Amino acid sequence: HEYWQAFAVEVTGELIKPHPFGEELDWMGYQLYLFDLDDTLLMTRAAIRASWRKTLQHPRLTGKSVEEWIETLRGFTLLYGTTADHEYWQAFAVEVTGELIKPHPFGEELCRTNRENYWQVLQPAPNIPNILDRLREEGRQLALITNGLIELQTQKLFRAGLADYFQEHVYCSDQYAWAHQKPSPHMLNQVLEKCDMSPEETVFFGNASIDVLAGNMAGVTTVAVAEFNNPRELRLLTADYHLSEWPAEI
């Protein structure tokens, strides 16, 4: 249902919003501000890489450079996903030791150390607290739209000091049916209904094509905060605005 809906919009152009190329985003021109979490509000990818680098300096890991160990580890994360840290560290430990121990004690140690390192380095993106403060001061409503596990995503918000900005407005795919995760617009439609806002009053910031697609399908203004690939040049994967970095002031 979702992909035929997107296809129908793509070929008819009936939902496509005017894309104001060359214009600047009116930062205070909306009433409801929606945000993706990882690599939008938080520097998640950078934190993962930094914690890996520190963890893989373990004295037991010899014979390869840290970069080479990172590539070995990355091979497993591409299969397990970066949220399944216990699983990929277990696989990594078996790979480097050749010992199929269940659970592998070296994998347990590496996983525990990496989690400690990760929470130490996870930070909001530059200028994000200032932007959220200003929006809240101006009486705008804020909501989080994220795929992932609600417990983990909520923990990230608290650790990064951003939980108070969203309070009851955290919409996480773990709370919905699988088909309703982004790029489905389902979570966006839920927050629009709960906040009694129209798409015209709403803007969505995200770093990935699934964010842009979900936002465009919901009819809200979309802002891409990173470069992303659109090889087929689909209109529905084109954001209304693009930010190379978050501004110091809005």
Side-chain angles (χ1 to χ4, degrees):
H1 182 271
E2 282 71 17
Y3 70 71
W4 282 115
Q5 285 292 314
F7 177 79
V9 173
E10 180 71 20
V11 299
T12 65
E14 293 174 349
L15 184 67
I16 297 298
K17 309 181 295 296
H19 295 281
F21 294 119
E23 298 182 14
E24 293 186 359
L25 174 66
D26 179 6
W27 279 95
M28 304 308 300
Y30 305 90
Q31 295 302 316
L32 176 59
Y33 291 72
L34 311 179
F35 298 89
D36 171 52
L37 182 61
D38 294 308
D39 297 310
T40 298
L41 291 179
L42 300 182
M43 300 175 65
T44 308
R45 193 175 308 168
I48 290 172
R49 296 286 289 190
S51 61
W52 283 358
R53 182 176 300 279
K54 189 172 182 180
T55 302
L56 292 170
Q57 294 174 9
H58 192 286
R60 188 172 173 181
L61 294 171
T62 59
K64 291 185 179 181
S65 67
V66 171
E67 289 299 328
E68 289 173 320
W69 287 126
I70 286 176
E71 286 306 306
T72 300
L73 181 66
R74 187 169 179 271
F76 291 114
T77 66
L78 292 175
L79 298 172
Y80 286 106
T82 55
T83 58
D85 59 343
H86 183 268
E87 285 72 18
Y88 70 70
W89 282 114
Q90 283 291 314
F92 177 82
V94 173
E95 178 73 15
V96 301
T97 65
E99 305 165 340
L100 184 56
I101 304 173
K102 301 178 181 181
H104 200 296
F106 188 41
E108 297 287 317
E109 178 185 355
L110 291 174
C111 182
R112 183 170 56 253
T113 301
N114 185 69
R115 288 182 182 181
E116 294 171 356
N117 293 333
Y118 175 76
W119 292 122
Q120 289 175 1
V121 298
L122 183 65
Q123 297 290 331
N127 301 319
I128 279 297
N130 293 339
I131 290 171
L132 298 181
D133 279 338
R134 173 74 190 285
L135 292 174
R136 187 164 61 177
E137 289 169 1
E138 295 294 331
R140 302 309 198 263
Q141 294 193 63
L142 310 177
L144 187 75
I145 309 290
T146 179
N147 284 351
L149 303 175
I150 184 63
E151 182 178 357
L152 177 60
Q153 300 302 74
T154 302
Q155 187 178 16
K156 291 176 186 176
L157 282 175
F158 276 101
R159 293 275 190 157
L162 302 182
D164 287 345
Y165 293 106
F166 300 100
Q167 298 180 8
E168 299 300 318
H169 291 295
V170 175
Y171 297 78
C172 184
S173 64
D174 193 34
Q175 302 168 300
Y176 300 92
W178 177 84
H180 290 159
Q181 69 179 358
K182 294 181 294 184
S184 166
H186 181 79
M187 289 188 287
L188 285 81
N189 292 332
Q190 292 294 305
V191 68
L192 288 172
E193 181 178 351
K194 184 174 182 179
C195 294
D196 193 24
M197 291 289 175
S198 69
E200 293 76 19
E201 298 174 288
T202 306
V203 59
F204 181 34
F205 298 84
N207 76 300
S209 57
I210 60 171
D211 300 315
V212 174
L213 178 53
N216 284 340
M217 287 297 290
V220 306
T221 297
T222 51
V223 183
V225 296
E227 300 285 349
F228 41 77
N229 192 21
N230 184 13
R232 295 182 177 85
E233 299 183 354
L234 299 175
R235 291 173 295 173
L236 278 172
L237 297 188
T238 302
D240 295 311
Y241 298 94
H242 177 260
L243 296 177
S244 58
E245 59 183 7
W246 293 100
E249 296 181 356
I250 60 172

